[in-house]
Amino acid sequence: MRRLTAFQTAATLIGLSQVATDVDYARSGVTGRIGGLEDSLGVELFERLSGRG
């Protein structure tokens, strides 16, 4: 359920730092939860951009 909460919040906000603040997790925790969800589903849910901006 935490993975889905992190995904839902990330889908509506821009930037994982904002997601981490909203769901009260460390940024690395949000990244890990979304990565775990992607692994369990076997699909990439977000396009990763290199660099900032």
Side-chain angles (χ1 to χ4, degrees):
M1 192 53 114
R2 290 180 179 167
R3 290 176 178 174
L4 291 175
T5 300
F7 170 72
Q8 178 186 14
T9 306
T12 59
L13 298 174
I14 298 174
L16 292 181
S17 295
Q18 182 63 45
V19 173
T21 299
D22 282 16
V23 296
D24 197 30
Y25 298 149
R27 187 182 182 285
S28 60
V30 172
T31 301
R33 283 177 172 78
I34 292 172
L37 182 60
E38 290 176 325
D39 288 345
S40 67
L41 296 173
V43 297
E44 187 176 305
L45 298 170
F46 292 100
E47 179 180 355
R48 269 73 170 177
L49 303 176
S50 61
R52 295 184 173 241

